[in-house]
Amino acid sequence: MSGTKRTLFDPARFLEAAGVTHRMVQVKAGHVFFSQGGLADAIFFLDSGRAKLTVVSKRGKEATVTMLAPGDFIGEESLAGGTELHDATATAVTPCKALKLSRREMVLLLHEQHEFSDIFLKFVLLRGVRTREDLIDQLFNNSEKRLARTLLIMAEFGKPGEPESMIPPVTQDDRHHPLSRQQVYE
C-alpha cells in the first residue's frame, strides 16, 4: 500500500449501509435471541452487549458452550443447511443490540459482498480455532487451569480497549469446561 491508510472494516456499519438498519433488535439481559430446538432461520450480528450460548441435555443438565461479545455472529449454524433447528439457546447476559438477518438475506450478502464474506469467514474460522483450543485445554489441563483460562477469555484479557467489567456469575455446573461435548450431551 503506497502511503494510504486502510480503515478497519466495521460489519455493523456495512450491514446498516446495505439497508438492514430496520432489523436492529434490542434484547434485554436474561432474554433469548433463539432457543434450542427452535427454527434456525436468522443470524444475528452482536453490535453491543454480551450473550452466551447454552445447551440442555436430555436429562436437563445445562452447560454454557461459549460467551459472545460485540462483533460476534450468533446463529451462524443456520447456514449449514444440515439442520433446520438450533442446537443451542442464545441468551443476552447484558442488554444487547444486534442486527438480525434472515438466512436468505445472509446468503445474499455472502454471495454479493466479498468484503463481508471475508469478515464472516474469518469469524467462523477463529471460532473453530478457539473450539479446538478449548478441546485441547479440556484434554490436557486440570480444572484450575481450565477455570483460569475461561475467566481470562470471559474478561477478554489481552485485547485492546477498555476491559469489560461485567463477568457473568459462574455456577457450580459451569465449573467444568464449557465446551466439553462429553459433558454437554451426557
Side-chain angles (χ1 to χ4, degrees):
M1 293 192 191
S2 56
T4 59
K5 185 177 179 183
R6 184 173 167 89
T7 58
L8 292 175
F9 180 73
D10 182 355
R13 240 185 255 136
F14 176 81
L15 292 174
E16 288 175 11
V20 293
T21 55
H22 64 285
R23 298 290 180 124
M24 193 66 80
V25 295
Q26 303 281 340
V27 181
K28 295 178 182 177
H31 289 112
V32 299
F33 287 90
F34 53 79
S35 296
Q36 183 176 339
L39 187 61
D41 60 353
I43 295 93
F44 297 86
F45 174 76
L46 192 57
D47 187 56
S48 65
R50 305 276 293 188
K52 66 179 179 176
L53 284 179
T54 58
V55 293
V56 177
S57 72
K58 290 180 181 176
R59 290 191 248 160
K61 185 176 180 181
E62 182 178 304
T64 299
V65 176
T66 192
M67 298 299 296
L68 302 160
D72 287 346
F73 289 88
I74 308 171
E76 72 279 0
E77 71 278 357
S78 66
L79 296 173
T83 180
E84 297 292 318
L85 304 177
H86 287 291
D87 60 356
T89 297
T91 307
V93 175
T94 65
C96 294
K97 185 169 84 169
L99 291 165
K100 181 180 180 181
L101 297 161
S102 71
R103 184 184 333 184
R104 183 176 175 271
E105 289 171 320
M106 185 71 171
V107 169
L108 285 173
L109 277 172
L110 290 170
H111 286 288
E112 296 173 1
Q113 303 295 330
H114 299 291
E115 193 174 8
F116 177 74
S117 297
D118 291 344
I119 296 299
F120 183 73
L121 179 61
K122 181 179 177 183
F123 166 80
V124 171
L125 291 172
L126 286 174
R127 175 153 308 159
V129 167
R130 184 167 156 200
T131 301
R132 185 178 63 231
E133 289 171 350
D134 290 340
L135 178 59
I136 291 167
D137 187 44
Q138 177 71 26
L139 293 171
F140 294 111
N141 291 325
N142 62 35
S143 60
E144 291 82 9
K145 284 184 180 179
R146 291 194 314 263
L147 176 60
R149 180 175 179 271
T150 299
L151 292 172
L152 288 172
I153 289 169
M154 290 170 64
E156 297 182 350
F157 181 78
K159 290 188 179 179
E162 292 297 315
E164 183 72 35
S165 61
M166 168 39 179
I167 294 180
V170 178
T171 66
Q172 189 69 15
D173 286 338
D174 292 333
R175 76 184 185 284
H176 299 290
H177 195 271
L179 282 178
S180 170
R181 291 275 180 190
Q182 295 87 351
Q183 293 170 293
V184 170
Y185 294 111
E186 288 182 55

